[in-house]
Amino acid sequence: MPEGHVTHRLARELELAFADRPVRVASPQGRFAEAAALLDGQVLTGAESWGKNLFIEFGAAIVHVHLGLIGKLRVGPAAPPSALDTLRLRITDGITAAELRGPQTCALLTGEERAAVVAALGPDPLRADADPLRGWARVTRSARPIASLLLDQRVAAGVGNIFRCEALYRQRLHPLTPGLRVTRRRWDRLWGDFVELMPPAVASGRIDTVLPEHTPEAMGRPPRVDRHGGEVYVYRRAGEPCLVCGTEVSAQEFEARRLYWCRRCQRRR
DNA sequence: AGCTCATGGCGAG
DNA sequence: TCGCCCTGAGCTG
């Protein structure tokens, strides 16, 4: 579920539903029970996201949520919760309810601790104050492959496997290109793709990366949308024809994640 | 009913 | 580099 667009979207949804109102807070599963009891009945003062981290604020007390690979936070009309054994956190005002399951992190933080989490992150393309040069500084002095660097949250906070594969495709960059061989111009364009693609993903809840001239319809093929809901060039399309050149999309395990690319459009150099 | 995999990240070795 | 954590959807049988 979770690249940066998801957590930013959730922050918006939480603010819209609960900001400046007292809420009921509970942890039916029990693992967050002590903190939940402390926050129950308090005013939810705001919600903010930084990369893949979500901060839900109750005055000075901050709930830090990181969904990890399988975590989900669903915000919707309040209804009796099911599967209480996995329900880590529930926030409700009686009208709307937010239900958190399977997070990698759900912890109560002080402002200072939150600042430390943020300080460990690189620039977030979804934040207006992001400085892409901080990411560039790491890329240009690293021999690590660009595919590895793009998942490093110190390089670009909030970028995950879909945005990584898709931005590399859009810039026709081979995933294993060493960072120090990536030119400044190419980095600017990669960053530009994140800045261009991520805000619409926050708004829509899906990741769309395909240019109008390359959509399956434009190429005379049936529409093809990934399970995550978006239209993409290579992500999870192994063996299918590249939308631009028709070559079978390649896939390979790389650093415990699946990497997708077109060996013809993204040549090594 | 069971198995596999997933848009992450951590710590041990 | 690997194993591990967390949950549930989408397959296979």
Side-chain angles (χ1 to χ4, degrees):
Chain A
M1 205 128 181
E3 300 198 21
H5 69 298
V6 173
T7 44
H8 279 78
R9 184 178 170 85
L10 285 167
R12 276 191 202 173
E13 287 188 281
L14 291 172
E15 288 217 325
L16 204 61
F18 303 126
D20 303 319
R21 292 207 281 282
V23 290
R24 301 305 308 267
V25 181
S27 177
Q29 177 203 52
R31 288 211 224 175
F32 193 61
E34 202 174 318
L38 201 68
L39 300 173
D40 190 29
Q42 302 282 312
V43 173
L44 192 158
T45 51
E48 189 186 14
S49 174
W50 209 296
K52 298 169 188 170
N53 299 272
L54 175 63
F55 302 104
I56 310 170
E57 300 148 1
F58 296 80
I62 299 154
V63 178
H64 175 213
V65 173
H66 193 300
L67 293 175
L69 189 58
I70 63 177
K72 284 180 177 53
L73 179 56
R74 295 199 174 101
V75 182
S82 57
L84 297 179
D85 58 323
T86 58
L87 185 48
R88 182 79 60 92
L89 170 66
R90 184 168 191 268
I91 300 173
T92 184
D93 62 356
I95 298 164
T96 306
E99 298 191 346
L100 175 67
R101 290 185 168 83
Q104 176 171 112
T105 302
C106 177
L108 197 57
L109 263 48
T110 64
E112 207 167 303
E113 289 166 329
R114 169 219 174 107
V117 171
V118 170
L121 297 171
D124 177 347
L126 282 170
R127 301 191 63 98
D129 58 356
D131 176 10
L133 292 185
R134 288 176 58 214
W136 166 246
R138 286 188 173 273
V139 167
T140 195
R141 66 178 149 83
S142 174
R144 290 163 58 203
I146 187 65
S148 178
L149 290 163
L150 288 184
L151 280 197
D152 185 335
Q153 297 300 291
R154 297 170 297 184
V155 170
V159 170
N161 201 16
I162 304 180
F163 282 120
R164 160 177 82 164
C165 292
E166 293 300 306
L168 288 174
Y169 178 83
R170 284 167 53 110
Q171 297 309 321
R172 306 298 192 268
L173 256 176
H174 192 285
L176 300 187
T177 307
L180 42 74
R181 296 264 300 272
V182 173
T183 63
R184 171 65 191 278
R185 174 196 276 282
R186 276 192 128 48
W187 167 255
D188 287 346
R189 288 185 175 172
L190 278 172
W191 183 267
D193 268 351
F194 297 140
V195 169
E196 180 185 332
L197 297 173
M198 293 177 80
V202 174
S204 67
R206 44 184 269 180
I207 297 175
D208 292 288
T209 63
V210 180
L211 296 170
E213 61 266 36
H214 296 145
T215 58
E217 292 89 326
M219 307 293 277
R221 284 191 239 278
R224 199 284 188 190
V225 165
D226 183 72
R227 227 178 14 248
H228 80 277
E231 195 162 60
V232 291
Y233 281 105
V234 291
Y235 177 71
R236 219 144 54 185
R237 291 193 65 238
E240 295 176 35
C242 170
L243 296 181
V244 174
C245 78
T247 302
E248 281 191 7
V249 172
S250 302
Q252 180 193 313
E253 201 79 19
F254 173 69
E255 293 180 351
R257 308 300 300 281
R258 201 126 182 101
L259 200 53
Y260 301 87
W261 80 102
C262 172
R263 63 180 182 275
R264 180 162 172 195
C265 293
Q266 299 166 266
R267 306 212 196 217
R268 285 194 203 239
R269 40 181 129 186

